[in-house]
Amino acid sequence: MRTLSKCQPFFVRCIKPNALKVSKKFNRGLVARQLRYSGMMETIKIRRAGYPIRYTFSEFINRFRVISPGILPADREKNHIDGCKKILERALGSNSDWQIGKTKIFIKDSHDALLDSFRESMLTKSAVIIQRAVRGWFWRLQFLRKRKAVIILQSWWRTIQAKRRFDLIKIGLARLQAVWRGRKLAFDYRFARKRIVLLQSRCRGYMVRREICHRLWAIVTIQSYTRGFIARRELRHLRKIKRVKKLPKSQQKAALLQLEEEETDYRKKLRENNKIVSDAERRKRMSVSSTDDSAMVDKMFGYLELEETASNIDGFDTSIPKLEEEDDISEYTFSKFAATYFQSTHVIHHVRKEIKIPLLLHENDGDKMAALAVWLTILRFMGDLPEPKPKEDINKMDTKPVMTKIYDTLGRTYKSKKQIEDKFNTKSKRRLASTKKKLISMTLKKQSKLTGEVADKLRNEEDYDGNENFMLIDRPTSNLEKLHFIMGNGILRPSIRTEIYCQICKQLTQNKSRSSHARGWILMSLCVGCFAPDDNFEKYLRNFIRSGPPNYAPYCDSRMRRTFANGARTQPPSWLELQATKSKKPIMLPITFMDGTTKTLLADSATTAKELCDVLADKINLEDKFGFSLFIALLDKVSSLGQGTDHVMDAISQCEQYAKEQGAQEKNAPWRLFYRKEIFTPWHDATLDETSTGLIYQQIVRGVKFGEYRCQNDNEMAQVCSKQYYIDYGTELQSNKIDNALASYLPDRAISQQKGLRFWSEKLQKCHKEAMYVRERWEPRRVREDVVTQAKFQWPLMFSRFFEAYHVAGPSLAKDRCVVAVNWTGVYFMDEDEKVLLEVPYAEITGIAVTSGTPHKIKGKCFTLSSARGNSRTFASINSEDITELISDFVEGLKERSRFVIALHDSNRRDTDEVNIMPYKKGDLFELDKPAGKNFTSVGWRSGANERNGRTGEFPTDGVYILPTMSAPPSELVTIFSMSPVELEEQFRNMMSQTQKDEDSEPYTLEEYSIDFFRSPLQQTMSRAPTSRRGKEKLWCHSRDMLKQPLLKKIIHDNDMVQEGIAIFLAIMKYMGDYPTKKTQQGSEITDQIFEAPLKYEILKDEVYCQIMRQLTKNKNGYSEERGWELMWLATGIFAPSNQLLPHLQKFLSTRRNNILANDCFFRYQRPIRHGQRKYPPHVVEVEAIQNRTTQIFHKIYFPDDTSEAFEVESCTKAKDFCKSIANRLRLKSADGFSLFVKIGDKVISVPEGDFFFDFVRHLTDWIRRAKPTADGGISTLTYQVFFMKKLWAGTVPGRDPNADNMFHFYQEKQKYLRGYHKLTKEEAFQIAALLFRAKHGDDKTQVSNIPRMLKELAPLHCLRQASPDDWKKTHYFLLQQKPTPKQRGGKVNFSQEYLQMANIWFRIL
């Protein structure tokens, strides 16, 4: 009808298709009759006999002039009729049936079709010519451009080559000039040297000759005077003899005797004078070489008073081990080290001026400034530099320790002097509060100031303007403060320790000042007791010390070797160490036992808690040493030193610093050392070691007396007092003894007006009469053992080892910062108020390991605790290794002593197979007939009783798990081991939902978080909102306006990150429908824009979470909110936020758990923390699944036996876990050796075990899509298949796993075999073909006749050529007759088990 309406018909003739007026039915005869009777057939014949095609002249010329060259267009052709004739004659010929009228041309249908074909051919030919010309022009233009570019490249390349050759020639000429000049200078030098040597030789000769002449003159003069003196003395003697001879003979004898006596007296007096002179010279030499520095030490440390010490220390036990002599190190001189490593401007000898650069090279600016500050402090300490001028406020008492001031210089970046002054002169409340931190805490092994945070600051210190060394103390300081400053920097900055020693050695070299030299060796002796240099300088320093003064060299050498053995200190020397340095004797440490006795041990600066504990244990014959530790007490605080490698003198130094913080002097710090029980082992037995039990008993009774251990009620207190009374006085009850005993037993708080001594006396007497130990008259030793055992069970937390930790990953706790308490019952996590946040018994602990803190953005080590409930928690702690070692020892020790094991899977044997083999199911609890022991798994089989059915028998040890417990585990724990991972997760969710508090308040928002971390809101000057509502934007709630800057202020300074953040927010708005867009984006295009940048830049992860949570806050559009929760679901499966944002995200999700997706996100966000973050954005399968409101994703997996099955896969599922899940679903015994393969087109690629499944598929599809782009530039759709197949065949034994043989081994190796991958003999091929025939047809002999047609399915092609089809048929029939298939066991693997003689052939295939 549309066609008719477009025309102007004169008449319309209707033809009926059928007589019934039914649609879609055509009656051919009826239609033909109607056409015939209506005259239409005749009309058509007449029409065909005439000229149906008619053109006007102009139309004909314009349409068909291309057929005849030379015909112009109709508007330019003068004679249209001649032009039409030329076209018709050229195309149809002059004899054809066509006519020319007055205004038109008349032709037939066939002629019109022929003309159209000629026209089409001519147009095609012309188009080809035009295309050829254009293409020629285009490619010639391309050729000319490329040739021009090549010429330019060649010119540049030749220029570069010429420049290189020129540079080479220039360098060669420079070297030639250098060589020539060097030789010329060498010649000049040798010539000058020769002349100078000649001049020196003559000068020296002259000087020597002159010296010799002078000496000869002196010798001759001395000889002449000496001879003159002898001659005169001889002359006087001869004159006396002459006078004697003139005397009478009676007097001559007496006169001669008098002369002899005078001569003897004179010689004696001369010898005495000579001895006095020699003694004076010897004393002078000794005073120069060995100086007594006691007076100098007293003067340097004015407060240091000489205490009365025992002159003989041989009677005390020592904790200092004997050191062995080492090899000769005389070749390692300090001058050699200085010549090698000192910077060029420094000399080796003593100087008295400041230096501008350190002695050694340092890369860190903070180390450079610290080295220069230490140099000035050393000069002031040694007296080589005066003290700085005092400030106005010098009279104010400075109670802040020097170490605390050094902490303030660590990890800071200062750009200007004003910032330095603001830092060190401003006394804000926060700063004053920070300086009052306590150095010692109750029973906690607190994080030292020298580790953790301070170490991080040391790594981050970079910037400083260099105008002023702010690390130097610019006021007069005492010598002790100088020592603390020097050694504190060495302790806190390991990189400058060698620098400090080099500075001291430099100032001791050629130092002519006696006072400065003595002070330098005092400083050296104190430094070697605190820290050691690096390995490069170790031998040089030892050689320097050994060549020092005899009263310092052995002392310093032994101290340094001890420091090397036990490690560096964490605190500067204490007052006690200064006393020992003065006397050069060991330190005497009094240690108090809990029974009141005291032992004094000798120690040094490097003594550790372990050394003291070992010596104490040997001294008192203590066998059960574990759990006994050193404690240091100061006032009302007690700190545990443990029994490890902690330095004892560090704790004493901390006590002295705390005393200074309180305004007292270091020497008056009232610290005390105790040796007491800190922790019990789970298998502790009080009957094994009487000494240990006695010490613990004294600790308990004293703890009860002084309130350390508190009883729950009066009866328990009375029982403890009764046991004490029994041990002290026996069974007899006397009122006076009871009153005296109660006064010493009961704590002061227990005695009041209502409960006086009479009340407690009655309680004690009642307990005493009813007690079993009184009736049975136990020995006192047995009662002490009972008290110790009771305390172990009653106060487990009091006998715990405490550590500080921070929760970084895993299921959330009420507080992230917590205290880890390890005792004999398990592991407890508590807050600062001693509220237990989590309790994990040892029976539930399945593993603990030290991990790196890098994945959690934490510097240092962490430890991960895994439990049987299927969850694991990661904590950061500086004591991660100690915690892991302690818990591992307890767990392994419990496993060795445990009698309880639990089955990990069902047994493979039936009840009727073996009488001695016990059947079991997964989760069954067995009680062993004896403890498990150390080599439990190597035994193979063990016997025990099944608690479920009461049966006894043997079971394999590789299928059970030893429960680390000494008693029967609770039924709840046994049930956990029988659950699947899905059931464990569901149970955990239910538990979390029960413990979650129902908060009626409004949902949590980021308003609080935005105050500290969001940028400042921008003023909205132009807005469509009413005037009353205008103002600053709320960055933490939903908005449909575009962001001009990202939310987080930490990225607004990076322009690239700003642009990325704005683009991410635009994509989020497009996905949620808050931003109109014309283009419909399919698949994962928008989600890629959202998540690609955060995966590339770590700083944008929090920005994405904040933007999503912002758009979900107060969002009144239901569709937009639903799409936002889809983005949150995708984000929580890819990566986790930072530790700053993590608790806020947890609160945000927990307050919206009524939403299905929000509830799933609440459990989902922890998976990236446990498994790691993804590398690629969500796969299109994940996006489509969440868009269809499906949180469970099922993926189809294909198997080698042409079957497939759908398995659930999550966003954080790795290939290894997916393989295990598939293996469990298929009931395979093990997933070892299996792998996933992805097939895309003709490529098959294995999925790595450690990769996330969706990450690998996404990466693979993107790679292939980039390699094969579509013609129109659009996104190509790629289909892929995932196969689960055997990859590694090591250790595979046919028959061990029937399911694996039937589904994988047989079909995979069959294809390899048929493709000819294995080399076989003719007989082996016959046998394997028979096996394949049986595997397919069994014993059906009717199929033997079809063997010639089945040969390609039974043997590879190269084996088929070795025999004719008839031979194959005969051999098959013979083998089938010889080895019938067992009927009771069908299948491929059972057949191979029946015929073991074919195993070698089967192994050759595998």
Side-chain angles (χ1 to χ4, degrees), residues 743-807:
S744 60
Y745 295 162
L746 293 172
D748 296 338
R749 59 179 177 81
I751 302 176
S752 60
Q753 294 181 356
Q754 293 81 8
K755 299 178 181 179
L757 290 178
R758 183 175 180 182
F759 170 81
W760 289 109
S761 177
E762 294 175 356
K763 282 278 188 182
L764 186 147
Q765 294 179 20
K766 181 179 179 182
C767 293
H768 210 68
K769 293 177 181 178
E770 297 175 355
M772 181 184 297
Y773 49 83
V774 176
R775 296 196 304 267
E776 298 180 1
R777 296 187 178 275
W778 288 5
E779 295 182 0
R781 176 183 60 82
R782 187 177 176 185
V783 180
R784 281 194 289 267
E785 295 169 358
D786 184 64
V787 172
V788 172
T789 305
Q790 180 183 354
K792 172 187 172 183
F793 285 92
Q794 187 172 356
W795 299 300
L797 283 177
M798 300 303 298
F799 291 95
S800 302
R801 189 164 289 174
F802 298 93
F803 307 91
E804 275 190 342
Y806 187 85
H807 181 243

Side-chain angles (χ1 to χ4, degrees), residues 358 361-373 469 496:
L361 181 63
H362 302 283
E363 297 180 356
N364 193 336
D365 292 338
D367 292 343
K368 294 178 182 177
M369 289 186 291
L372 296 178
N469 195 338
I496 68 169

Side-chain angles (χ1 to χ4, degrees), residues 303-424:
Y303 68 90
L304 193 63
E305 300 174 359
L306 183 61
E307 294 184 345
E308 294 183 1
T309 57
S311 59
N312 185 11
I313 62 173
D314 297 336
F316 297 98
D317 294 322
T318 178
S319 63
I320 307 172
K322 294 183 179 179
L323 301 175
E324 298 179 356
E325 293 294 333
E326 296 186 353
D327 299 335
D328 182 24
I329 55 175
S330 58
E331 64 180 37
Y332 297 94
T333 60
F334 178 66
S335 59
K336 184 187 297 184
F337 181 87
T340 306
Y341 294 101
F342 274 20
Q343 300 195 60
S344 58
T345 59
H346 295 294
V347 294
I348 188 176
H349 56 77
H350 172 267
V351 295
R352 292 176 177 268
K353 61 181 180 179
E354 298 183 14
I355 58 177
K356 296 183 179 180
I357 59 174
L359 302 181
L360 304 178
L361 181 63
H362 302 283
E363 297 180 356
N364 193 336
D365 292 338
D367 292 343
K368 294 178 182 177
M369 289 186 291
L372 296 178
V374 169
W375 169 260
L376 292 176
T377 309
I378 290 176
L379 291 181
R380 293 172 183 173
F381 179 83
M382 296 177 66
D384 296 330
L385 199 68
E387 291 286 336
K389 295 181 180 180
K391 292 187 176 182
E392 296 179 357
D393 57 348
I394 192 65
N395 295 326
K396 296 181 180 179
M397 184 176 181
D398 185 9
T399 60
K400 186 176 181 180
V402 177
M403 291 297 291
T404 306
K405 298 178 182 179
I406 299 176
Y407 302 145
D408 294 339
T409 68
L410 300 179
R412 305 293 183 184
T413 57
Y414 304 105
K415 295 293 185 182
S416 64
K417 184 176 180 181
K418 183 177 182 303
Q419 294 181 4
I420 301 172
E421 294 175 353
D422 293 343
K423 168 66 183 175
F424 293 98

Side-chain angles (χ1 to χ4, degrees), residues 477-653:
T477 55
S478 64
N479 288 310
L480 183 62
E481 287 178 323
K482 293 185 182 71
L483 283 176
H484 280 202
F485 183 83
I486 296 170
M487 281 171 278
N489 276 283
I491 290 170
L492 293 173
R493 300 177 183 272
S495 56
I496 68 169
R497 291 175 180 173
T498 302
E499 172 79 24
I500 295 174
Y501 278 113
C502 288
Q503 292 179 6
I504 299 174
C505 294
K506 171 182 169 65
Q507 292 302 95
L508 289 174
T509 303
Q510 300 179 14
N511 191 340
K512 299 180 181 180
S513 173
R514 175 183 172 185
S515 174
S516 176
H517 189 268
R519 286 171 176 259
W521 277 108
I522 293 173
L523 179 60
M524 176 72 78
S525 63
L526 292 171
C527 285
V528 295
C530 287
F531 55 86
D534 56 19
D535 296 338
N536 292 336
F537 191 60
E538 174 191 353
K539 294 182 179 179
Y540 296 96
L541 181 60
R542 287 184 175 176
N543 187 24
F544 183 86
I545 290 175
R546 290 180 182 179
S547 61
N551 57 335
Y552 276 108
Y555 181 70
C556 293
D557 184 56
S558 63
R559 282 170 64 90
M560 188 176 67
R561 292 167 65 183
R562 286 276 293 152
T563 303
F564 267 106
N566 291 351
R569 295 269 298 277
T570 59
Q571 295 294 331
S574 62
W575 176 85
L576 198 62
E577 292 176 78
L578 298 181
Q579 285 278 19
T581 303
K582 175 183 176 181
S583 60
K584 300 180 182 61
K585 294 180 180 179
I587 304 170
M588 291 189 293
L589 294 178
I591 301 175
T592 304
F593 292 90
M594 298 315 297
D595 58 357
T597 60
T598 301
K599 303 292 183 183
T600 300
L601 299 183
L602 300 181
D604 61 359
S605 299
T607 299
T608 61
K610 184 179 184 303
E611 293 175 346
L612 288 181
C613 289
D614 292 342
V615 173
L616 287 173
D618 296 338
K619 188 177 182 66
I620 62 176
N621 298 323
L622 182 65
E623 297 179 359
D624 186 9
K625 303 178 183 179
F626 183 85
F628 282 93
S629 304
L630 274 183
F631 287 77
I632 188 167
L634 179 66
L635 302 178
D636 59 340
K637 295 174 176 57
V638 179
S639 179
S640 171
L641 303 183
Q643 52 184 358
T645 58
D646 291 345
H647 290 80
V648 179
M649 301 311 299
D650 283 341
I652 297 175
S653 179

Side-chain angles (χ1 to χ4, degrees), residues 210-229:
R210 188 177 66 176
E211 181 70 21
I212 291 175
C213 292
H214 178 72
R215 289 183 180 180
L216 286 176
W217 173 82
I219 292 171
V220 169
T221 302
I222 293 172
Q223 287 178 349
S224 63
Y225 276 98
T226 302
R227 289 168 182 163
F229 171 76

